[in-house]
Amino acid sequence: MRSFIDVSPDSHFPIQNLPYGVYKLKVGSQPVCGTAIGDYVVDLSILEEKGYFKKTILGDKKVFSKPNLNTFMALGREAWKQARIVLQTALSDDNPLLRDDKELQKIVFTPMKDVVMCLPAEIGDYTDFYSSREHATNVGIMFRGKDNALMPNWLHIPIGYHGRASSIIVSGTSVTRPKGQTKPANEENPVFGPTKLLDFELEMGFFIGPGNSLGEAIPVNETYDHIFGMVLVNDWSARDIQTWEYQPLGPFLAKNFATSISPWIVTLEALEPFRVKGPEQDPKPMEYLASKGDWAYDINLDVFLKSEKETEPFKISGSNFKYMYWNICQQLAHHTVNGCNTKTGDMMASGTISGPTKDSYGSMLELTWRGENPIKLPGGEERKFINDGDTLIINGYCQGQGYKVGFGEVAGKILPAK
Ligand code: CA
């Protein structure tokens, strides 16, 4: 499959991908829904206006001339599949309709560099899981020792907590270093001030399409139809604030000051060829968590840190989404098994994705082992945690034969505390 738009083999956005996002032109315009192809964004509100989706479930509905994707996401999998076929056909090399309509092309395609990406969805609720066995084990060893590394519930329950949706921000948005209470080990009383242990968390998140009603669980093997697609997530964390506040109710201000996401939602349709077997689960999960088939995804994830003194970002970690112990179907089944309702646009994040080797850990906490082994940057600087002026960049992609299905990146710069 090829598009009439030139797409380099290294691009994250070939015709096999077609992620959904929301953007506006740099010079004053309303946000609209679009897709990405090569170095261009495609204005879906115009294609909709021109009747491209008329013969699908979308009919004459206006779902793309909106400041978020929620209306489209609520339509469900059959509508998503039909819209994808329309777009792949319209952008394809051997279909003349759009290929030969130079006038329409002028208003439909905009170079990516001329637009500003917005949050793709109105996110009502955000849940953060803790589903990487390697991450949970590393943190457990650091804080409880090798023998009690995994909590006794961990292999039975996809552990999670409710995060904060209001502070989810799109890639490129800067983050102000948070202040809060911490309790230095050598002090008798807690102190107040900017966090000294600011960290990133390499995660991915999925978006809810159609939700479920209060009181109704989503059976694990029906969860697929409720999941629209995925983004990259950096769940910023203040480790010193976290250590002091987290007992007995879990993370609070250490986590809710900012969560960054990549702007393009890559659909499960585009990710389908990259579905792989996940880690062996022993003990066998309970019946309500027994997902059929392979639900891990082979998604390469790389993390880069760019200090203000460096010209190029420096790679500090390379992990993969396939390492996740609990899969997205199990997470959603568990989330709703008690009758908790989910709504269109809700976001669920995976938890830090650490791989089996030291260079595949998904946080500074693990990469530097609580600061014991600082990371050396090429210019001679060292990092135990993240400094003011540092930019943290995560990118992610699936490698197909001769093409990539990518997520682009999620980047964020740390500004000094106010
Ligand atoms: Ca997290």
Side-chain angles (χ1 to χ4, degrees):
M1 211 183 337
R2 279 177 58 90
S3 173
F4 59 85
I5 298 283
D6 247 351
V7 181
S8 99
D10 274 335
S11 170
H12 281 198
F13 307 116
I15 195 168
Q16 289 84 354
N17 190 350
L18 302 182
Y20 292 96
V22 172
Y23 70 92
K24 54 185 184 183
L25 302 179
K26 277 187 177 161
V27 228
S29 78
Q30 295 299 314
V32 290
C33 301
T35 187
I37 182 95
D39 296 328
Y40 292 89
V41 295
V42 183
D43 187 333
L44 296 180
S45 73
I46 294 176
L47 292 185
E48 178 174 75
E49 187 70 38
K50 296 284 178 190
Y52 272 68
F53 301 100
K54 215 163 57 190
K55 289 184 184 148
T56 71
I57 295 177
L58 279 67
D60 291 323
K61 287 194 209 80
K62 293 277 174 277
V63 303
F64 293 125
S65 55
K66 312 241 175 203
N68 58 60
L69 286 159
N70 293 50
T71 311
F72 179 57
M73 288 159 70
L75 294 179
R77 179 126 277 126
E78 193 47 42
W80 306 335
K81 281 186 176 163
Q82 292 181 11
R84 178 175 170 83
I85 291 170
V86 166
L87 288 174
Q88 282 190 325
T89 309
L91 292 166
S92 140
D93 205 9
D94 45 46
N95 186 307
L97 192 62
L98 183 55
R99 186 193 68 198
D100 297 345
D101 190 341
K102 300 293 178 200
E103 285 306 305
L104 186 56
Q105 284 184 24
K106 272 187 209 159
I107 52 171
V108 165
F109 295 103
T110 307
M112 255 180 207
K113 61 177 175 48
D114 294 338
V115 305
V116 179
M117 297 305 298
C118 310
L119 276 181
E122 190 180 315
I123 305 168
D125 262 311
Y126 160 44
T127 299
D128 193 17
F129 284 91
Y130 190 61
S131 290
S132 153
R133 183 174 187 163
E134 288 82 356
H135 172 67
T137 305
N138 286 339
V139 174
I141 292 171
M142 272 184 251
F143 293 100
R144 285 184 301 276
K146 233 183 171 105
D147 296 336
N148 306 302
L150 271 191
M151 296 293 259
N153 58 9
W154 201 92
L155 293 169
H156 299 273
I157 297 179
I159 299 289
Y161 75 100
H162 288 112
R164 179 93 194 153
S166 66
S167 53
I168 297 180
I169 51 180
V170 73
S171 176
T173 312
S174 298
V175 174
T176 300
R177 179 176 296 270
K179 293 198 281 198
Q181 280 196 32
T182 58
K183 166 80 170 58
N186 51 355
E187 307 258 353
E188 197 181 330
N189 291 310
V191 298
F192 180 82
T195 173
K196 292 192 171 78
L197 308 182
L198 185 59
D199 204 350
F200 72 93
E201 285 188 334
L202 165 61
E203 306 197 13
M204 295 198 68
F206 66 84
F207 278 92
I208 299 295
N212 61 304
S213 309
L214 187 66
E216 302 286 333
I218 304 177
V220 67
N221 291 306
E222 292 172 25
T223 49
Y224 174 70
D225 285 332
H226 293 264
I227 301 174
F228 177 63
M230 302 192 67
V231 293
L232 304 170
V233 178
N234 177 355
D235 191 28
W236 301 97
S237 300
R239 300 297 180 198
D240 43 358
I241 296 175
Q242 187 175 357
T243 308
W244 175 231
E245 75 174 1
Y246 88 104
Q247 285 171 323
L249 285 187
F252 187 32
L253 303 186
K255 299 280 190 179
N256 70 4
F257 60 95
T259 302
S260 301
I261 66 170
S262 56
W264 295 104
I265 305 181
V266 177
T267 64
L268 293 197
E269 279 70 36
L271 293 174
E272 180 64 23
F274 307 100
R275 215 140 61 76
V276 291
K277 195 171 162 49
E280 211 56 56
Q281 294 184 314
D282 180 22
K284 228 173 94 181
M286 285 186 195
E287 194 55 35
Y288 81 95
L289 291 171
S291 52
K292 285 197 196 80
D294 298 334
W295 286 103
Y297 289 89
D298 185 359
I299 304 170
N300 298 287
L301 300 165
D302 292 320
V303 185
F304 302 83
L305 190 148
K306 190 186 159 297
S307 138
E308 266 184 335
K309 292 182 186 150
E310 308 272 349
T311 48
E312 293 295 319
F314 178 67
K315 182 171 166 179
I316 57 173
S317 177
S319 186
N320 194 301
F321 188 63
K322 71 182 177 193
Y323 297 137
M324 299 303 297
Y325 187 85
W326 295 106
N327 65 50
I328 55 178
C329 303
Q330 293 173 323
Q331 289 172 338
L332 186 52
H334 183 67
H335 200 308
T336 59
V337 74
N338 64 345
C340 172
N341 53 331
T342 61
K343 290 182 181 163
T344 301
D346 286 358
M347 190 180 93
M348 317 279 167
S350 56
T352 306
I353 306 159
S354 290
T357 55
K358 282 183 180 173
D359 56 0
S360 62
Y361 293 166
S363 63
M364 294 297 274
L365 180 72
E366 296 162 89
L367 287 167
T368 71
W369 210 256
R370 269 196 290 193
E372 286 166 27
N373 311 311
I375 292 171
K376 289 185 177 57
L377 302 180
E381 290 179 273
E382 285 193 345
R383 285 292 182 279
K384 295 176 177 172
F385 286 88
I386 301 173
N387 286 13
D388 291 345
D390 287 353
T391 301
L392 207 290
I393 304 147
I394 298 170
N395 74 37
Y397 64 91
C398 309
Q399 185 64 60
Q401 291 205 330
Y403 70 95
K404 283 177 175 160
V405 167
F407 290 79
E409 64 176 34
V410 54
K413 183 175 180 173
I414 297 300
L415 304 179
K418 278 186 181 149

